Amino acid sequence: MLGLSRPLGRPPGHARMRFPRRQQFFTGHRLRPRQGASKEIKDIRKQSTEAGEAKSGHIKAGPNEGIFFLDNVYPLKLRWLLRIPFLNADKSVPELMKRLKNPLLTTADPMSIIQRAIPKKLPMTVNEVLPRLKEGGAFVKFSHEPHLQVEEIEGTLREYLKDNPIKPWFNPFRRVKTALVHGRPWLEDLHRFPSSRLKVEFIPTAPGGEAAELSQETLYSLFRKYGKLADIVPQPTDSKVLPKFAYLNFIRVRQAVMAKNCMHGLTVPEAVGGGKSGTVLKLEYQQKIKAHWIRDWLVNHPRIVIPAVAALVATFTVAVFDPIRTFFIKAHVEQSFHLSNNRVFKWLKSQVTRANDILTFRRHKTEDAGLSAIWDDRKEDIDQIQTWLMETADTFIVVQGPRGSGKKELVIDQALKDRKYKLVIDCKPIQEARGDSATINAAAVEVGYRPVFSWMNSMSSLLDLAAQGTIGTKTGFSETLDTQLAKIWQNTTTALKRIALEGRKKDDKDADLDDDAYLEAHPERRAVVVIDNFLHKSQESNVVYDKLSEWAASLTTANIAHVIFLTHDVSFSKSLSKALPDRVFRQIVLSDCSAEVAKRFVLNHLNADSEDDVGGDEKLTPSQKRNDLGELDDCIEILGGRLTDLEFLARRIKTGETPNKAVKEIIEQSASEILKMYILDVSTARAWTSTQAWLLIESLATSETLRYNEILLSDTFKPSASSSGGEQTLQALEQAELITIVSSNGRPHSIKPGKPVYQAAFKLLTGDHVLKSRLDLLILGELIKVETKSIDQYEAELNLLAGLPKQPAEVAPRVTWLLGKLRASQEKIEAFERESGGLKKVLLKEY
């Protein structure tokens, strides 16, 4: 190799060969050939496409030989071909370009470009050509006469290419350039692709030797001739990485390619700064932008990426899924996909009804006929609801009544039977759902909200928890139950508003009104939202009911829809007042039917099927055929006016049972349910004890009404370790339907059985001596514990007073009072124990 102590330009005393200046280059339109360009160089011995000589990765120049590197022979963008499996791009591409008949492409063959780049009169013989596809160039190994120097040939060739530029079609703005190879190039075929940044490592010439770290000035003087350098970055002074290195940043990639192929393996002598034994330069491409930098940036910046992803997901959901969900909610309210509204289905149903007396249809007719007596009695309530729905008032309509009083049938089947658009939301499945995902899914089903990805809430919570443990803060992936429910109600609001404005026309007399004013002026256009089972199991959680109340308040205040609440809870005003604190609710209270209406209800049930029978005027109705219906008045008095119980009674009578027997079985069944739900079942957590429930049962068996405060003052309902406060216990028992608390002037004042039939069931339970003795014994045991605790307190205070050094006169009344209390408690304990003894005898004698 040539030493660097002498200049790399033309040696002094040598004349440069001159060639006529001709502008010839290849473009995509046509070729400007020069004379003799089509002839091949006859002196080429071989063309190599392998990885150097004998696949060693290197190419050597012997005596009177040199190596040129020609740039801009291939397009750099073809390096992606190297990634294709089973394709030798270094060999396949040149062969393919040779076989093409198109002259525009054949001239882009590296041999063609080399023939055009090297003039015939140049005193050199081309021995070997090694194309470098991924680097866009080729190595040309040549031999020359002994009296010539390679620097002179290099200078002449550069001058020729400058005067006669060759510009390939793939890069018409850059000419082919060449440079003499000074080092020992490494012809690797690895997937290391060119970059404008080079890493220069300083290697010792022999193992164990010492290499010198070249200065920036030395590096600049060595590499500047290959192109403009943007920057030279030396190794940090505190770095202990070996071997030492520096970075060279070129302006263009092809300049870095030329520098690497010409200077790799160069030995820098001591005179230039390479140290005593010299320093070998090892060059390799260094990517400015690391591979997978986008992925690495995303992984390394979770505080930014995760909230951004959450925002994008939320935006995508709103933009794509919200219109779909609103469409399905609207279709659910309008019943667009219900078969019952299809004309063909209606016609088929009518034909089947006429042709066959299907039992299902007959049963529905029987039920309707039985309820007709109830609707006649409640005609005023039905008319009142219909009148309120025609008025513009931003408040709620509340229908309150005990379970089984016919609230839902009254509102939906009677008051709203002529309303086209109504939405019924049952709170029972929503409140009884276990877990946030099940609650969201249940709420979505009630309004027709789909698609719903309730399972995503659990996954999002896990992701949010993992992210919080990683970055220390919540990412916002997971949403609370409040947020999810708010989304469902918000989409429902949008659908209801579209329904209310659907029939608006441009030629209406009030077409100039905006949407809000139009809805306020036309209350008949609004849909009706019926919220059934409101405050069902409200003692467990109020999240669902709070969101429902807020949503219902927004519907009424914005005049989007009418809202009707159906509830059995008498304390509904506490929950609804939070949403509408400045409004007075429109309320209808349903109670049990009167005895006369209840009797008509049962008789209508019995006579309903006779309307379809064929016969003369003398044919008797089923009720007229029976001789035992005289018992019906007494049975209804016992059973009460609860619709569910009356319907159960009518069905039993229709099966052939006598009214007395039917009522007796209903009472026995109710008694069994009371025992199981309120007294004997200890497996579930309850807000009351068995003794508290039994005290109420025993008291209500002898009296239909109990004083509310009297029960609170009893020792059994005092707060203890096993039970909560008396009022909370009574409210829990009311929610469980054992009792009904009657209020007056806004305060509770009396207690009644939860159902009228419970009065008889309580008497039946107290008539069981064994059961009564067992539960009374439990009550006496608790009372004894209460009095024993009181005695302990009295004795402790007496001991404290007795320990005083002197007995002041003022202490005497306190001592007397304590002794009286202690005596009274002891007398109670003795009485309780005597009574307990008698109860134990009953338990020992009877089964």
Side-chain angles (χ1 to χ4, degrees):
M1 284 300 170
L2 206 63
L4 292 180
S5 59
R6 57 184 297 179
L8 299 181
R10 182 180 61 182
H14 291 270
R16 179 175 296 176
M17 301 178 185
R18 294 293 181 179
F19 297 92
R21 179 179 180 88
R22 295 181 61 186
Q23 181 72 19
Q24 42 189 323
F25 58 95
F26 175 75
T27 65
H29 299 284
R30 64 184 186 135
L31 175 67
R32 297 182 184 177
R34 60 183 174 89
Q35 187 177 1
S38 60
K39 298 179 181 180
E40 295 185 0
I41 300 177
K42 297 180 180 180
D43 295 333
I44 297 180
R45 293 198 297 266
K46 64 177 180 176
Q47 177 181 352
S48 174
T49 58
E50 304 295 338
E53 298 175 355
K55 295 186 179 180
S56 63
H58 295 92
I59 180 173
K60 297 180 181 179
N64 300 326
E65 289 185 342
I67 303 173
F68 282 132
F69 182 80
L70 270 69
D71 185 26
N72 209 17
V73 177
Y74 287 108
L76 284 176
K77 299 300 181 182
L78 290 180
R79 59 190 178 187
W80 60 270
L81 293 172
L82 299 175
R83 300 182 183 273
I84 302 177
F86 312 109
L87 176 64
N88 188 350
D90 287 336
K91 182 177 180 180
S92 301
V93 174
E95 291 294 333
L96 178 62
M97 298 177 70
K98 283 182 179 180
R99 294 181 181 181
L100 293 175
K101 302 301 182 182
N102 189 343
L104 300 182
L105 295 178
T106 55
T107 52
D109 176 65
M111 291 304 301
S112 176
I113 295 178
I114 293 171
Q115 291 174 16
R116 295 164 52 200
I118 300 176
K120 292 182 179 181
K121 297 180 179 182
L122 196 64
M124 57 175 282
T125 301
V126 178
N127 299 330
E128 188 177 358
V129 176
L130 285 86
R132 299 292 293 168
L133 177 63
K134 69 177 181 180
E135 294 178 316
F139 287 99
V140 178
K141 185 177 180 181
F142 64 94
S143 60
H144 57 88
E145 297 296 332
H147 65 277
L148 294 177
Q149 295 185 2
V150 290
E151 288 83 359
E152 182 182 1
I153 300 175
E154 178 192 16
T156 304
L157 184 57
R158 283 186 175 182
E159 186 69 21
Y160 172 79
L161 292 177
K162 184 177 180 181
D163 296 338
N164 303 275
I166 300 174
K167 298 180 179 179
W169 62 272
F170 53 81
N171 194 359
F173 301 103
R174 181 178 174 84
R175 60 186 177 88
V176 175
K177 294 183 179 181
T178 185
L180 182 65
V181 176
H182 296 284
R184 188 186 179 205
W186 183 24
L187 308 183
E188 41 81 18
D189 55 357
L190 305 175
H191 285 191
R192 297 180 180 178
F193 301 105
S195 171
S196 61
R197 190 178 199 187
L198 291 178
K199 181 180 180 181
V200 183
E201 293 183 349
F202 310 114
I203 310 296
T205 56
E210 184 177 355
E213 183 178 0
L214 273 63
S215 64
Q216 297 186 42
E217 292 83 353
T218 304
L219 291 174
Y220 182 86
S221 63
L222 292 176
F223 290 93
R224 176 60 182 87
K225 60 184 175 182
Y226 298 106
K228 184 175 176 57
L229 288 165
D231 193 11
I232 299 176
V233 182
Q235 183 179 5
T237 55
D238 57 347
S239 176
K240 298 182 180 180
V241 178
L242 295 177
K244 298 292 185 177
F245 63 88
Y247 291 111
L248 302 178
N249 294 327
F250 285 88
I251 297 297
R252 300 182 182 276
V253 176
R254 289 192 180 273
Q255 296 171 353
V257 170
M258 183 76 76
K260 175 184 178 296
N261 288 299
C262 294
M263 299 295 287
H264 179 84
L266 173 68
T267 301
V268 181
E270 181 181 3
V272 184
K276 293 183 179 180
S277 58
T279 300
V280 179
L281 301 183
K282 177 184 175 184
L283 281 73
E284 63 179 9
Y285 298 116
Q286 192 74 21
Q287 299 294 331
K288 280 189 174 181
I289 302 178
K290 295 189 296 184
H292 310 296
W293 68 272
I294 297 179
R295 182 191 65 188
D296 295 340
W297 189 90
L298 294 176
V299 172
N300 295 328
H301 297 79
R303 292 174 179 262
I304 301 174
V305 174
I306 296 178
V309 171
L312 289 176
V313 171
T315 304
F316 178 79
T317 302
V318 172
V320 177
F321 289 108
D322 277 10
I324 299 175
R325 290 163 175 166
T326 303
F327 167 78
F328 278 110
I329 295 174
K330 186 171 177 288
H332 176 78
V333 177
E334 295 177 342
Q335 298 184 350
S336 302
F337 304 129
H338 289 209
L339 286 176
S340 58
N341 294 331
N342 188 278
R343 295 181 180 180
V344 177
F345 179 80
K346 288 181 179 179
W347 180 82
L348 289 175
K349 183 178 178 181
S350 62
Q351 297 301 317
V352 172
T353 304
R354 293 176 184 178
N356 303 288
D357 188 10
I358 299 179
L359 183 61
T360 303
F361 293 158
R362 179 183 296 273
R363 182 170 68 251
H364 288 307
K365 186 174 182 180
T366 302
E367 294 175 357
D368 294 341
L371 290 173
S372 61
I374 307 297
W375 307 146
D376 293 341
D377 183 58
R378 297 177 176 176
K379 188 69 168 60
E380 294 183 2
D381 296 336
I382 297 172
D383 294 340
Q384 183 64 70
I385 294 175
Q386 293 176 344
T387 302
W388 285 340
L389 293 177
M390 298 302 295
E391 297 176 357
T392 300
D394 50 352
T395 187
F396 302 139
I397 299 174
V398 183
V399 179
Q400 187 271 330
R403 292 185 177 94
S405 58
K407 301 183 293 296
K408 187 174 181 179
E409 293 79 3
L410 174 74
V411 174
I412 297 177
D413 297 338
Q414 298 300 314
L416 302 180
K417 63 181 179 179
D418 296 328
R419 281 276 179 171
K420 187 176 181 181
Y421 302 126
K422 48 183 176 287
L423 175 63
V424 181
I425 300 175
D426 191 357
C427 299
K428 185 176 181 180
I430 303 176
Q431 184 68 8
E432 292 181 350
R434 298 304 177 192
D436 292 351
S437 299
T439 303
I440 294 167
N441 192 46
V445 170
E446 292 299 320
V447 298
Y449 179 92
R450 62 176 64 90
V452 55
F453 308 110
S454 57
W455 52 271
M456 286 292 292
N457 193 51
S458 300
M459 293 186 62
S460 300
S461 300
L462 294 176
L463 290 175
D464 204 0
L465 184 62
Q468 185 176 4
T470 303
I471 65 177
T473 59
K474 289 187 176 181
T475 59
F477 266 126
S478 62
E479 295 180 336
T480 61
L481 180 61
D482 294 356
T483 306
Q484 294 279 0
L485 291 176
K487 286 184 178 181
I488 295 176
W489 306 141
Q490 182 61 38
N491 280 271
T492 307
T493 301
T494 305
L496 292 174
K497 187 171 184 179
R498 291 182 182 178
I499 291 173
L501 298 172
E502 200 169 31
R504 192 176 185 184
K505 299 179 181 178
K506 294 182 179 180
D507 54 351
D508 291 340
K509 61 180 180 179
D510 50 4
D512 56 333
L513 298 177
D514 58 4
D515 293 344
D516 295 338
Y518 177 82
L519 292 175
E520 184 177 2
H522 294 274
E524 73 282 356
R525 302 290 305 173
R526 308 176 206 163
V528 181
V529 178
V530 180
I531 301 178
D532 191 18
N533 286 318
F534 185 68
L535 298 180
H536 172 74
K537 292 185 177 181
S538 59
Q539 70 276 6
E540 296 181 0
S541 174
N542 288 323
V543 175
V544 175
Y545 298 122
D546 290 342
K547 301 305 295 185
L548 267 175
S549 302
E550 295 174 3
W551 174 62
S554 65
L555 290 179
T556 55
T557 53
N559 297 313
I560 294 176
H562 301 283
V563 181
I564 301 178
F565 286 94
L566 308 181
T567 180
H568 68 280
D569 198 326
V570 296
S571 61
F572 63 88
S573 59
K574 295 180 181 179
S575 179
L576 296 181
S577 297
K578 298 177 183 178
L580 286 179
D582 56 346
R583 298 290 191 276
V584 178
F585 308 130
R586 293 177 169 178
Q587 180 179 355
I588 291 179
V589 179
L590 298 183
S591 58
D592 295 330
C593 301
S594 62
E596 180 183 356
V597 175
K599 184 177 181 179
R600 286 169 51 198
F601 175 81
V602 176
L603 293 178
N604 286 344
H605 258 278
L606 297 176
N607 299 330
D609 292 341
S610 64
E611 297 179 4
D612 296 333
D613 296 338
V614 180
D617 297 334
E618 297 179 358
K619 190 169 183 64
L620 300 177
T621 62
S623 61
Q624 293 174 346
K625 294 179 182 179
R626 303 190 60 131
N627 298 325
D628 53 2
L629 293 184
E631 308 169 357
L632 196 59
D633 293 335
D634 295 336
C635 294
I636 290 177
E637 183 178 356
I638 297 173
L639 201 61
R642 191 67 53 89
L643 289 184
T644 52
D645 296 334
L646 292 174
E647 186 176 1
F648 193 23
L649 173 65
R651 290 178 178 176
R652 283 185 169 274
I653 295 175
K654 287 179 68 175
T655 59
E657 294 183 1
T658 62
N660 285 335
K661 183 179 179 182
V663 169
K664 183 180 179 181
E665 292 185 359
I666 292 174
I667 293 173
E668 292 177 353
Q669 183 177 355
S670 299
S672 300
E673 292 177 355
I674 292 171
L675 278 177
K676 181 180 179 181
M677 294 175 58
Y678 307 105
I679 297 178
L680 300 181
D681 187 10
V682 295
S683 59
T684 58
R686 301 179 302 188
W688 65 87
T689 62
S690 299
T691 55
Q692 291 172 333
W694 178 250
L695 179 63
L696 290 173
I697 291 172
E698 195 172 26
S699 302
L700 289 172
T702 57
S703 177
E704 295 184 358
T705 305
L706 301 177
R707 297 181 184 87
Y708 183 82
N709 295 318
E710 181 182 359
I711 297 298
L712 291 179
L713 292 175
S714 63
D715 293 333
T716 306
F717 278 87
K718 289 181 179 180
S720 62
S722 60
S723 65
S724 56
E727 289 190 321
Q728 295 181 4
T729 302
L730 292 177
Q731 290 176 3
L733 288 170
E734 184 186 25
Q735 291 289 337
E737 297 185 352
L738 178 66
I739 59 174
T740 298
I741 300 176
V742 182
S743 299
S744 176
N745 298 327
R747 66 170 181 85
H749 74 95
S750 61
I751 298 175
K752 291 184 177 181
K755 292 182 180 180
V757 71
Y758 279 1
Q759 180 76 28
F762 292 162
K763 292 180 180 180
L764 180 63
L765 291 174
T766 54
D768 188 346
H769 296 292
V770 175
L771 178 65
K772 184 176 184 302
S773 299
R774 174 190 169 189
L775 295 174
D776 286 347
L777 189 61
L778 293 176
I779 293 177
L780 291 174
E782 290 189 357
L783 294 177
I784 291 174
K785 290 180 181 178
V786 171
E787 297 300 332
T788 302
K789 185 178 180 181
S790 299
I791 290 177
D792 292 339
Q793 293 176 354
Y794 302 149
E795 290 177 346
E797 188 173 353
L798 287 172
N799 289 331
L800 180 62
L801 295 176
L804 295 176
K806 295 182 180 180
Q807 298 292 332
E810 292 80 3
V811 178
R814 181 64 179 177
V815 173
T816 304
W817 181 85
L818 289 172
L819 291 174
K821 284 290 184 179
L822 191 148
R823 179 180 179 182
S825 296
Q826 180 61 29
E827 291 177 353
K828 288 181 180 180
I829 290 176
E830 293 175 356
F832 293 155
E833 288 182 347
R834 287 193 298 269
E835 189 176 354
S836 298
L839 295 176
K840 289 179 181 178
K841 292 180 181 179
V842 175
L843 295 176
L844 294 174
K845 291 181 179 179
E846 300 184 12
Y847 290 96

